[in-house]
Protein backbone atom coordinates (compact mmCIF):
# COMPACT_ATOMS: atom_id res chain seq x y z
CA UNK A 1 0.00 0.00 0.00
CA UNK A 2 1.46 3.35 -0.99
CA UNK A 3 -0.36 5.41 1.60
CA UNK A 4 2.61 7.59 2.43
CA UNK A 5 2.86 8.67 -1.17
CA UNK A 6 -0.82 9.50 -1.33
CA UNK A 7 -0.86 11.27 1.98
CA UNK A 8 2.15 13.53 1.61
CA UNK A 9 1.03 16.90 2.84
CA UNK A 10 1.12 19.53 0.15
CA UNK A 11 0.33 23.20 0.57
CA UNK A 12 -2.77 23.63 2.80
CA UNK A 13 -4.35 26.10 0.37
CA UNK A 14 -4.26 23.60 -2.46
CA UNK A 15 -6.06 20.95 -0.45
CA UNK A 16 -9.81 20.49 -0.19
CA UNK A 17 -11.01 21.40 3.29
CA UNK A 18 -12.80 18.05 3.49
CA UNK A 19 -12.08 15.02 1.38
CA UNK A 20 -14.02 11.86 2.08
CA UNK A 21 -12.24 8.97 0.42
CA UNK A 22 -13.92 5.57 0.00
CA UNK A 23 -15.81 5.99 3.26
CA UNK A 24 -17.67 2.91 4.44
CA UNK A 25 -19.83 2.84 7.56
CA UNK A 26 -21.32 -0.35 8.87
CA UNK A 27 -24.04 -0.53 11.49
CA UNK A 28 -24.85 -4.03 12.70
CA UNK A 29 -23.07 -5.60 9.75
CA UNK A 30 -24.99 -3.48 7.22
CA UNK A 31 -23.30 -0.86 5.04
CA UNK A 32 -25.20 2.38 5.59
CA UNK A 33 -22.47 4.29 3.79
CA UNK A 34 -21.03 2.46 0.87
CA UNK A 35 -17.92 3.98 -0.67
CA UNK A 36 -18.71 7.66 -0.19
CA UNK A 37 -16.36 10.05 -1.96
CA UNK A 38 -16.81 13.78 -1.57
CA UNK A 39 -14.34 16.59 -2.01
CA UNK A 40 -15.32 19.94 -0.52
CA UNK A 41 -13.45 23.19 -1.07
CA UNK A 42 -13.01 25.91 1.55
CA UNK A 43 -15.84 28.45 1.50
CA UNK A 44 -18.39 26.25 -0.25
CA UNK A 45 -22.03 25.91 0.79
CA UNK A 46 -22.59 22.19 0.32
CA UNK A 47 -25.94 20.50 0.75
CA UNK A 48 -26.54 16.81 1.32
CA UNK A 49 -29.92 16.04 -0.20
CA UNK A 50 -31.57 12.65 -0.10
CA UNK A 51 -34.49 10.60 1.17
CA UNK A 52 -34.91 9.53 4.78
CA UNK A 53 -32.41 6.88 5.81
CA UNK A 54 -30.06 7.52 2.89
CA UNK A 55 -27.16 8.36 5.22
CA UNK A 56 -27.04 12.19 5.30
CA UNK A 57 -26.81 12.50 9.07
CA UNK A 58 -24.25 9.70 9.22
CA UNK A 59 -21.99 11.56 6.76
CA UNK A 60 -22.31 14.72 8.84
CA UNK A 61 -21.60 12.89 12.09
CA UNK A 62 -18.52 11.31 10.55
CA UNK A 63 -17.18 14.71 9.51
CA UNK A 64 -18.01 16.11 12.96
CA UNK A 65 -16.26 13.20 14.70
CA UNK A 66 -19.38 11.87 16.44
CA UNK A 67 -19.25 8.66 14.46
CA UNK A 68 -16.27 6.59 13.41
CA UNK A 69 -15.90 5.30 9.90
CA UNK A 70 -15.57 1.56 9.42
CA UNK A 71 -13.15 2.14 6.58
CA UNK A 72 -11.86 4.98 4.42
CA UNK A 73 -10.38 8.39 5.03
CA UNK A 74 -11.78 11.66 6.37
CA UNK A 75 -9.25 14.23 5.29
CA UNK A 76 -9.11 17.77 6.58
CA UNK A 77 -6.69 19.79 4.43
CA UNK A 78 -5.11 16.54 3.32
CA UNK A 79 -4.67 14.91 6.73
CA UNK A 80 -6.80 11.99 7.78
CA UNK A 81 -8.59 13.15 10.94
CA UNK A 82 -10.71 10.08 11.49
CA UNK A 83 -8.97 9.37 14.79
CA UNK A 84 -9.56 12.90 16.17
CA UNK A 85 -12.31 13.49 18.71
CA UNK A 86 -14.95 16.14 17.86
CA UNK A 87 -13.45 18.93 19.97
CA UNK A 88 -10.07 18.50 18.28
CA UNK A 89 -11.64 19.16 14.89
CA UNK A 90 -12.14 22.64 13.55
CA UNK A 91 -15.81 21.92 13.10
CA UNK A 92 -19.02 23.01 14.81
CA UNK A 93 -22.44 21.40 14.51
CA UNK A 94 -26.01 22.68 14.65
CA UNK A 95 -28.50 19.90 15.24
CA UNK A 96 -32.11 19.85 14.17
CA UNK A 97 -33.37 20.37 17.72
CA UNK A 98 -30.72 23.11 18.32
CA UNK A 99 -29.46 21.29 21.47
CA UNK A 100 -29.41 24.51 23.52
CA UNK A 101 -28.80 24.27 27.26
CA UNK A 102 -32.23 24.88 28.79
CA UNK A 103 -30.86 26.04 32.14
CA UNK A 104 -28.67 28.76 30.61
CA UNK A 105 -29.86 32.08 29.23
CA UNK A 106 -29.07 33.25 25.69
CA UNK A 107 -25.80 34.89 26.60
CA UNK A 108 -24.51 31.91 28.60
CA UNK A 109 -25.50 29.48 25.88
CA UNK A 110 -23.32 31.43 23.49
CA UNK A 111 -20.49 31.78 25.99
CA UNK A 112 -20.38 28.05 26.62
CA UNK A 113 -17.98 27.11 23.84
CA UNK A 114 -15.90 30.23 24.34
CA UNK A 115 -14.63 28.98 27.68
CA UNK A 116 -12.33 26.63 25.79
CA UNK A 117 -11.03 29.36 23.53
CA UNK A 118 -7.43 30.47 24.00
CA UNK A 119 -5.55 33.45 22.68
CA UNK A 120 -1.81 34.18 22.35
CA UNK A 121 0.01 35.41 25.47
CA UNK A 122 1.93 38.63 25.03
CA UNK A 123 5.61 39.05 25.88
CA UNK A 124 6.64 35.40 25.57
CA UNK A 125 10.44 35.11 25.07
CA UNK A 126 11.43 34.14 21.55
CA UNK A 127 13.17 31.04 22.88
CA UNK A 128 9.73 29.46 23.47
CA UNK A 129 8.86 29.87 19.80
CA UNK A 130 12.22 28.47 18.77
CA UNK A 131 11.79 25.51 21.05
CA UNK A 132 8.43 24.82 19.41
CA UNK A 133 10.04 24.84 15.97
CA UNK A 134 12.69 22.33 17.01
CA UNK A 135 10.06 20.23 18.82
CA UNK A 136 7.90 20.17 15.71
CA UNK A 137 10.77 18.74 13.71
CA UNK A 138 11.23 16.09 16.38
CA UNK A 139 7.52 15.20 16.53
CA UNK A 140 7.26 15.02 12.74
CA UNK A 141 10.21 12.67 12.66
CA UNK A 142 8.68 10.37 15.29
CA UNK A 143 5.33 10.40 13.48
CA UNK A 144 6.88 9.69 10.09
CA UNK A 145 8.75 6.74 11.51
CA UNK A 146 5.57 5.29 13.02
CA UNK A 147 3.65 5.86 9.78
CA UNK A 148 6.36 4.15 7.81
CA UNK A 149 6.17 1.10 10.10
CA UNK A 150 2.39 1.03 9.77
CA UNK A 151 2.63 1.42 6.00
CA UNK A 152 4.84 -1.62 5.83
CA UNK A 153 2.65 -3.80 8.04
CA UNK A 154 -0.54 -2.66 6.31
CA UNK A 155 0.96 -3.43 2.92
CA UNK A 156 1.78 -6.96 4.10
CA UNK A 157 -1.77 -7.54 5.30
CA UNK A 158 -3.20 -5.96 2.17
CA UNK A 159 -1.23 -8.45 0.12
CA UNK A 160 -2.77 -11.29 2.10
CA UNK A 161 -6.23 -9.77 1.66
CA UNK A 162 -5.74 -9.54 -2.10
CA UNK A 163 -4.37 -13.05 -2.36
CA UNK A 164 -7.14 -15.27 -3.80
CA UNK A 165 -5.85 -18.20 -1.75
CA UNK A 166 -6.67 -16.45 1.55
CA UNK A 167 -9.79 -17.98 3.10
CA UNK A 168 -12.72 -15.64 3.75
CA UNK A 169 -12.54 -15.80 7.54
CA UNK A 170 -8.86 -14.87 7.52
CA UNK A 171 -9.51 -12.13 4.98
CA UNK A 172 -12.09 -10.55 7.29
CA UNK A 173 -9.64 -10.72 10.18
CA UNK A 174 -6.86 -9.09 8.15
CA UNK A 175 -9.24 -6.41 6.93
CA UNK A 176 -10.24 -5.57 10.46
CA UNK A 177 -6.54 -5.37 11.46
CA UNK A 178 -5.86 -3.04 8.54
CA UNK A 179 -8.86 -0.91 9.52
CA UNK A 180 -7.52 -0.59 13.08
CA UNK A 181 -4.05 0.27 11.83
CA UNK A 182 -5.55 2.92 9.60
CA UNK A 183 -6.94 4.64 12.70
CA UNK A 184 -3.49 4.51 14.28
CA UNK A 185 -2.16 6.00 11.08
CA UNK A 186 -4.59 8.88 11.40
CA UNK A 187 -3.36 9.45 14.97
CA UNK A 188 0.25 9.77 13.81
CA UNK A 189 -0.73 12.02 10.94
CA UNK A 190 -2.12 14.47 13.47
CA UNK A 191 0.49 13.82 16.15
CA UNK A 192 2.55 16.93 15.46
CA UNK A 193 -0.56 19.16 15.49
CA UNK A 194 -1.78 17.65 18.75
CA UNK A 195 1.59 18.05 20.44
CA UNK A 196 1.81 21.60 19.11
CA UNK A 197 -1.57 22.38 20.60
CA UNK A 198 -0.46 21.01 23.98
CA UNK A 199 2.74 23.04 23.87
CA UNK A 200 0.90 26.22 22.91
CA UNK A 201 -1.59 25.68 25.69
CA UNK A 202 1.20 25.30 28.20
CA UNK A 203 3.51 28.11 27.14
CA UNK A 204 2.10 30.37 24.46
CA UNK A 205 -1.62 30.91 24.98
CA UNK A 206 -4.02 31.78 27.79
CA UNK A 207 -7.78 31.39 28.30
CA UNK A 208 -9.91 34.27 27.11
CA UNK A 209 -10.76 36.80 29.87
CA UNK A 210 -14.31 37.67 30.94
CA UNK A 211 -14.07 41.11 29.36
CA UNK A 212 -12.88 39.65 26.06
CA UNK A 213 -15.60 37.04 26.23
CA UNK A 214 -18.28 39.69 26.75
CA UNK A 215 -16.99 41.59 23.71
CA UNK A 216 -17.04 38.48 21.51
CA UNK A 217 -20.53 37.56 22.64
CA UNK A 218 -21.73 41.10 21.95
CA UNK A 219 -20.26 41.06 18.45
CA UNK A 220 -21.78 37.72 17.56
CA UNK A 221 -25.19 38.68 19.02
CA UNK A 222 -25.15 41.66 16.71
CA UNK A 223 -24.17 39.56 13.73
CA UNK A 224 -27.07 37.16 14.18
CA UNK A 225 -29.58 39.84 15.18
CA UNK A 226 -30.03 38.86 18.82
CA UNK A 227 -29.14 42.17 20.48
CA UNK A 228 -31.21 42.93 23.52
CA UNK A 229 -32.01 39.26 24.17
CA UNK A 230 -28.92 38.45 26.21
CA UNK A 231 -30.67 37.58 29.45
CA UNK A 232 -33.67 35.80 27.97
CA UNK A 233 -34.47 32.23 28.93
CA UNK A 234 -33.91 30.09 25.83
CA UNK A 235 -36.97 27.99 26.59
CA UNK A 236 -39.25 30.91 25.81
CA UNK A 237 -37.73 31.89 22.49
CA UNK A 238 -39.44 31.32 19.14
CA UNK A 239 -38.03 28.67 16.78
CA UNK A 240 -36.32 31.30 14.64
CA UNK A 241 -34.69 32.90 17.68
CA UNK A 242 -33.50 29.56 19.03
CA UNK A 243 -31.98 28.95 15.64
CA UNK A 244 -30.08 32.21 15.89
CA UNK A 245 -28.78 31.31 19.37
CA UNK A 246 -27.60 27.94 18.05
CA UNK A 247 -25.92 29.69 15.14
CA UNK A 248 -24.27 32.27 17.40
CA UNK A 249 -23.03 29.55 19.74
CA UNK A 250 -21.48 27.71 16.82
CA UNK A 251 -19.98 30.76 15.12
CA UNK A 252 -18.46 32.36 18.19
CA UNK A 253 -15.78 29.67 18.39
CA UNK A 254 -14.78 30.50 14.79
CA UNK A 255 -14.89 27.01 13.28
CA UNK A 256 -13.65 26.42 9.75
CA UNK A 257 -16.64 24.24 8.98
CA UNK A 258 -20.21 24.48 10.16
CA UNK A 259 -22.31 21.33 9.95
CA UNK A 260 -26.06 21.89 9.90
CA UNK A 261 -28.41 18.91 10.15
CA UNK A 262 -31.85 20.00 8.91
CA UNK A 263 -31.64 23.16 11.01
CA UNK A 264 -34.70 24.75 9.45
CA UNK A 265 -37.09 21.81 9.37
CA UNK A 266 -38.89 22.80 12.58
CA UNK A 267 -39.63 26.34 11.39
CA UNK A 268 -42.79 27.47 9.64
CA UNK A 269 -42.57 28.43 5.97
CA UNK A 270 -42.14 32.19 6.35
CA UNK A 271 -39.47 32.14 9.04
CA UNK A 272 -37.82 29.28 7.26
CA UNK A 273 -37.39 31.36 4.12
CA UNK A 274 -36.02 34.25 6.12
CA UNK A 275 -33.54 31.97 7.88
CA UNK A 276 -32.45 30.48 4.55
CA UNK A 277 -31.40 33.92 3.31
CA UNK A 278 -29.85 34.70 6.64
CA UNK A 279 -27.75 31.52 6.67
CA UNK A 280 -26.53 32.11 3.15
CA UNK A 281 -25.63 35.74 3.95
CA UNK A 282 -23.68 34.79 7.06
CA UNK A 283 -21.86 32.01 5.24
CA UNK A 284 -20.78 34.38 2.50
CA UNK A 285 -19.91 37.20 4.85
CA UNK A 286 -17.68 35.03 7.02
CA UNK A 287 -16.46 32.93 4.06
CA UNK A 288 -17.17 29.77 6.02
CA UNK A 289 -17.64 26.25 4.74
CA UNK A 290 -21.18 25.03 5.40
CA UNK A 291 -22.29 21.43 5.08
CA UNK A 292 -26.04 21.46 5.27
CA UNK A 293 -28.52 18.60 5.32
CA UNK A 294 -32.04 18.86 3.98
CA UNK A 295 -34.89 16.83 2.51
CA UNK A 296 -36.16 19.87 0.69
CA UNK A 297 -35.00 20.12 -2.90
CA UNK A 298 -36.00 23.77 -3.29
CA UNK A 299 -34.04 24.72 -0.21
CA UNK A 300 -31.06 22.80 -1.61
CA UNK A 301 -31.32 24.37 -5.05
CA UNK A 302 -31.59 27.90 -3.67
CA UNK A 303 -28.89 27.82 -1.03
CA UNK A 304 -26.10 25.62 -2.27
CA UNK A 305 -22.94 26.10 -4.26
CA UNK A 306 -23.03 22.35 -4.82
CA UNK A 307 -25.43 19.59 -3.88
CA UNK A 308 -24.56 15.98 -3.12
CA UNK A 309 -27.55 13.79 -3.86
CA UNK A 310 -27.39 10.81 -1.49
CA UNK A 311 -29.09 7.54 -2.30
CA UNK A 312 -28.77 4.35 -0.26
CA UNK A 313 -25.51 5.43 1.37
CA UNK A 314 -23.87 6.51 -1.86
CA UNK A 315 -23.26 9.86 -3.50
CA UNK A 316 -25.38 9.49 -6.60
CA UNK A 317 -24.38 12.86 -8.07
CA UNK A 318 -22.42 15.84 -6.73
CA UNK A 319 -22.69 19.02 -8.72
CA UNK A 320 -23.82 22.65 -8.91
CA UNK A 321 -27.62 23.05 -8.72
CA UNK A 322 -28.10 24.03 -12.35
CA UNK A 323 -26.10 21.05 -13.61
CA UNK A 324 -28.08 18.68 -11.39
CA UNK A 325 -31.32 20.11 -12.65
CA UNK A 326 -30.39 20.25 -16.32
CA UNK A 327 -28.12 17.23 -16.54
CA UNK A 328 -29.13 14.66 -13.91
CA UNK A 329 -27.25 11.42 -14.38
CA UNK A 330 -30.36 9.27 -14.14
CA UNK A 331 -34.11 9.24 -13.71
CA UNK A 332 -33.88 8.93 -9.94
CA UNK A 333 -31.80 12.11 -9.55
CA UNK A 334 -33.96 13.93 -12.09
CA UNK A 335 -37.07 13.04 -10.14
CA UNK A 336 -35.54 13.96 -6.82
CA UNK A 337 -34.43 17.38 -8.04
CA UNK A 338 -37.56 18.55 -9.82
CA UNK A 339 -40.84 17.78 -11.60
CA UNK A 340 -40.12 15.69 -14.63
CA UNK A 341 -41.52 14.07 -17.75
CA UNK A 342 -39.80 10.79 -18.50
CA UNK A 343 -40.06 8.81 -21.71
CA UNK A 344 -38.76 5.33 -22.47
CA UNK A 345 -36.47 6.17 -25.33
CA UNK A 346 -34.23 4.50 -27.89
CA UNK A 347 -31.19 6.15 -29.41
CA UNK A 348 -31.38 6.03 -33.20
CA UNK A 349 -28.24 7.77 -34.36
CA UNK A 350 -26.23 10.91 -33.61
CA UNK A 351 -28.79 13.67 -32.96
CA UNK A 352 -31.83 11.39 -33.25
CA UNK A 353 -33.88 9.70 -30.53
CA UNK A 354 -37.16 7.82 -30.55
CA UNK A 355 -39.95 7.94 -27.97
CA UNK A 356 -43.76 8.04 -28.05
CA UNK A 357 -43.38 6.20 -31.39
CA UNK A 358 -41.79 9.24 -33.01
CA UNK A 359 -38.28 10.27 -33.86
CA UNK A 360 -37.07 13.59 -32.44
CA UNK A 361 -33.96 15.67 -32.94
CA UNK A 362 -31.64 16.02 -29.97
CA UNK A 363 -28.29 17.58 -29.18
CA UNK A 364 -27.07 14.22 -27.83
CA UNK A 365 -24.55 12.27 -29.84
CA UNK A 366 -22.80 10.17 -27.22
CA UNK A 367 -24.93 7.00 -27.17
CA UNK A 368 -24.95 3.83 -29.27
CA UNK A 369 -27.66 3.18 -31.89
CA UNK A 370 -30.49 1.04 -30.41
CA UNK A 371 -29.36 1.91 -26.85
CA UNK A 372 -32.30 2.03 -24.43
CA UNK A 373 -32.40 5.34 -22.54
CA UNK A 374 -34.55 7.57 -20.38
CA UNK A 375 -35.50 10.88 -21.96
CA UNK A 376 -36.28 13.79 -19.65
CA UNK A 377 -38.13 16.97 -20.53
CA UNK A 378 -38.84 19.40 -17.70
CA UNK A 379 -42.46 20.69 -17.55
CA UNK A 380 -41.36 24.30 -18.07
CA UNK A 381 -39.50 23.34 -21.25
CA UNK A 382 -42.65 22.16 -23.02
CA UNK A 383 -44.53 24.87 -24.87
CA UNK A 384 -48.16 24.89 -25.91
CA UNK A 385 -48.23 26.21 -29.49
CA UNK A 386 -50.90 27.20 -31.99
CA UNK A 387 -49.59 25.36 -35.04
CA UNK A 388 -50.89 21.79 -35.17
CA UNK A 389 -48.74 20.79 -38.15
CA UNK A 390 -45.49 21.71 -36.44
CA UNK A 391 -46.51 20.16 -33.10
CA UNK A 392 -44.25 17.43 -31.76
CA UNK A 393 -47.07 15.87 -29.73
CA UNK A 394 -50.81 16.42 -29.59
CA UNK A 395 -52.80 15.93 -26.39
CA UNK A 396 -55.76 16.94 -24.27
CA UNK A 397 -55.64 18.87 -21.01
CA UNK A 398 -57.03 16.74 -18.18
CA UNK A 399 -56.17 18.88 -15.18
CA UNK A 400 -55.12 22.45 -14.47
CA UNK A 401 -53.77 23.95 -11.23
CA UNK A 402 -52.64 27.49 -10.61
CA UNK A 403 -49.23 27.75 -8.96
CA UNK A 404 -48.80 31.49 -8.37
CA UNK A 405 -47.26 32.95 -11.51
CA UNK A 406 -47.85 29.89 -13.71
CA UNK A 407 -50.29 27.07 -14.42
CA UNK A 408 -49.50 23.39 -14.10
CA UNK A 409 -51.28 21.23 -16.65
CA UNK A 410 -51.66 17.50 -16.93
CA UNK A 411 -51.97 16.61 -20.57
CA UNK A 412 -52.98 13.24 -21.91
CA UNK A 413 -50.97 12.16 -24.93
CA UNK A 414 -51.71 8.63 -26.12
CA UNK A 415 -52.60 7.56 -22.56
CA UNK A 416 -49.43 9.07 -21.10
CA UNK A 417 -49.68 12.03 -18.74
CA UNK A 418 -47.36 14.87 -19.60
CA UNK A 419 -46.75 17.75 -17.21
CA UNK A 420 -46.52 21.25 -18.65
CA UNK A 421 -45.83 24.48 -16.77
CA UNK A 422 -46.68 27.74 -18.50
CA UNK A 423 -47.96 31.21 -17.56
CA UNK A 424 -50.80 30.95 -20.12
CA UNK A 425 -54.31 29.86 -19.23
CA UNK A 426 -56.06 27.01 -21.08
CA UNK A 427 -59.30 25.17 -20.37
CA UNK A 428 -59.55 21.56 -19.32
CA UNK A 429 -60.52 19.18 -22.17
CA UNK A 430 -58.93 21.48 -24.74
CA UNK A 431 -56.81 19.83 -27.43
CA UNK A 432 -53.29 21.29 -27.31
CA UNK A 433 -50.18 21.10 -29.48
CA UNK A 434 -46.85 20.59 -27.74
CA UNK A 435 -43.44 21.71 -28.85
CA UNK A 436 -39.96 22.13 -27.34
CA UNK A 437 -36.51 23.42 -28.19
CA UNK A 438 -33.83 21.07 -29.45
CA UNK A 439 -31.93 21.10 -26.14
CA UNK A 440 -35.02 20.45 -23.99
CA UNK A 441 -34.51 16.69 -24.31
CA UNK A 442 -32.00 15.34 -21.82
CA UNK A 443 -31.03 11.72 -22.45
CA UNK A 444 -29.79 9.51 -19.62
CA UNK A 445 -28.55 5.97 -19.35
CA UNK A 446 -31.08 3.66 -17.73
CA UNK A 447 -30.84 3.60 -13.94
CA UNK A 448 -29.65 0.14 -12.84
CA UNK A 449 -31.76 0.43 -9.67
CA UNK A 450 -34.77 1.55 -11.75
CA UNK A 451 -37.31 -0.76 -10.16
CA UNK A 452 -36.62 0.31 -6.59
CA UNK A 453 -39.25 2.47 -4.98
CA UNK A 454 -38.68 6.20 -5.29
CA UNK A 455 -39.53 7.61 -1.88
CA UNK A 456 -39.85 11.12 -0.58
CA UNK A 457 -39.60 12.57 -4.04
CA UNK A 458 -41.94 15.45 -3.65
CA UNK A 459 -41.43 16.46 -0.04
N1 LIG B 1 -26.48 4.31 15.58
C1 LIG B 1 -27.06 3.58 14.61
N2 LIG B 1 -27.20 2.25 14.71
C2 LIG B 1 -27.76 1.50 13.73
N3 LIG B 1 -28.21 2.01 12.56
C3 LIG B 1 -28.09 3.34 12.39
C4 LIG B 1 -27.51 4.20 13.38
N4 LIG B 1 -27.53 5.48 12.91
C5 LIG B 1 -28.08 5.40 11.68
N5 LIG B 1 -28.42 4.14 11.36
C6 LIG B 1 -29.02 3.70 10.09
O1 LIG B 1 -28.25 4.21 9.04
C7 LIG B 1 -29.06 4.61 7.96
C8 LIG B 1 -28.78 6.05 7.60
O2 LIG B 1 -29.23 6.86 8.67
P1 LIG B 1 -29.11 8.44 8.66
O3 LIG B 1 -29.63 8.93 9.97
O4 LIG B 1 -27.73 8.82 8.30
O5 LIG B 1 -30.09 8.84 7.48
P2 LIG B 1 -30.61 10.28 7.03
O6 LIG B 1 -30.37 10.38 5.59
O7 LIG B 1 -30.04 11.32 7.91
O8 LIG B 1 -32.18 10.14 7.29
P3 LIG B 1 -33.24 11.27 7.77
O9 LIG B 1 -33.51 12.08 6.56
O10 LIG B 1 -34.43 10.46 8.18
O11 LIG B 1 -32.65 12.04 8.89
C9 LIG B 1 -30.50 4.34 8.39
O12 LIG B 1 -30.90 3.12 7.85
C10 LIG B 1 -30.40 4.27 9.90
O13 LIG B 1 -31.38 3.43 10.40
MG1 LIG C 1 -30.84 12.68 9.25
Amino acid sequence: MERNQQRKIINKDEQPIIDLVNVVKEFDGRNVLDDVNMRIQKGEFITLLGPSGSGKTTILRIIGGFEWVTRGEVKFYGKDIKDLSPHKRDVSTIFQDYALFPHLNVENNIKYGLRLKRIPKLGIPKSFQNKLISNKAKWTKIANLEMKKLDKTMAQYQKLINNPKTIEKKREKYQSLVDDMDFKYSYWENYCDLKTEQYEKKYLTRPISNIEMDKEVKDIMKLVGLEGNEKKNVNYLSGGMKQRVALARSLVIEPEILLLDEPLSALDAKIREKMQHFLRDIQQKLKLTFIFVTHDRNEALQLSDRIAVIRDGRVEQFDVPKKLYDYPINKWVANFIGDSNFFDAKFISKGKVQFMNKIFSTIHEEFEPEEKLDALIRPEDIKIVKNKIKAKLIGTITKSTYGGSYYNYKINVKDKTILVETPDKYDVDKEVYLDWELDAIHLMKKDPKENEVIENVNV
Side-chain angles (χ1 to χ4, degrees), residues 120-143:
K121 274 188 205 165
L122 292 177
I124 299 289
K126 204 158 188 294
S127 58
F128 282 84
Q129 291 286 359
N130 292 339
K131 177 90 177 134
L132 177 59
I133 293 169
S134 63
N135 275 349
K136 273 187 178 176
K138 196 175 79 192
W139 295 325
T140 308
K141 206 169 154 192
I142 296 171

Side-chain angles (χ1 to χ4, degrees), residues 105-221:
N105 66 17
V106 169
E107 188 177 49
N108 287 331
N109 259 282
I110 297 172
K111 269 187 189 169
Y112 188 82
L114 267 186
R115 294 183 203 285
L116 293 175
K117 188 169 171 170
R118 302 183 67 85
I119 50 176
K121 274 188 205 165
L122 292 177
I124 299 289
K126 204 158 188 294
S127 58
F128 282 84
Q129 291 286 359
N130 292 339
K131 177 90 177 134
L132 177 59
I133 293 169
S134 63
N135 275 349
K136 273 187 178 176
K138 196 175 79 192
W139 295 325
T140 308
K141 206 169 154 192
I142 296 171
N144 282 344
L145 211 71
E146 293 296 333
M147 285 194 279
K148 218 170 167 179
K149 276 196 245 165
L150 280 168
D151 259 338
K152 210 170 146 192
T153 325
M154 282 160 85
Q156 282 164 354
Y157 279 112
Q158 196 62 50
K159 228 176 175 173
L160 290 169
I161 292 169
N162 294 342
N163 186 344
K165 285 191 190 136
T166 306
I167 58 166
E168 193 53 35
K169 224 174 168 162
K170 281 260 158 83
R171 180 171 294 132
E172 273 172 25
K173 193 175 153 214
Y174 296 147
Q175 183 63 59
S176 134
L177 285 170
V178 168
D179 292 344
D180 284 349
M181 277 185 258
D182 208 30
F183 271 95
K184 288 202 186 98
Y185 201 108
S186 164
Y187 170 78
W188 288 111
E189 258 186 294
N190 295 285
Y191 180 72
C192 184
D193 287 349
L194 292 174
K195 295 293 275 187
T196 304
E197 195 185 309
Q198 281 170 10
Y199 184 93
E200 285 176 343
K201 197 166 170 187
K202 204 160 171 189
Y203 302 111
L204 307 179
T205 62
R206 61 167 173 83
I208 176 171
S209 73
N210 282 342
I211 295 170
E212 286 159 343
M213 206 185 282
D214 285 343
K215 162 98 176 56
E216 293 214 15
V217 170
K218 204 170 161 213
D219 288 349
I220 208 80
M221 296 271 289

Side-chain angles (χ1 to χ4, degrees), residues 222-243:
K222 195 169 166 199
L223 181 78
V224 302
L226 278 174
E227 286 159 304
N229 293 289
E230 289 77 0
K231 306 290 176 210
K232 280 201 178 145
N233 182 329
V234 291
N235 300 311
Y236 302 127
L237 297 179
S238 68
M241 292 280 262
K242 279 186 183 158
Q243 189 64 74

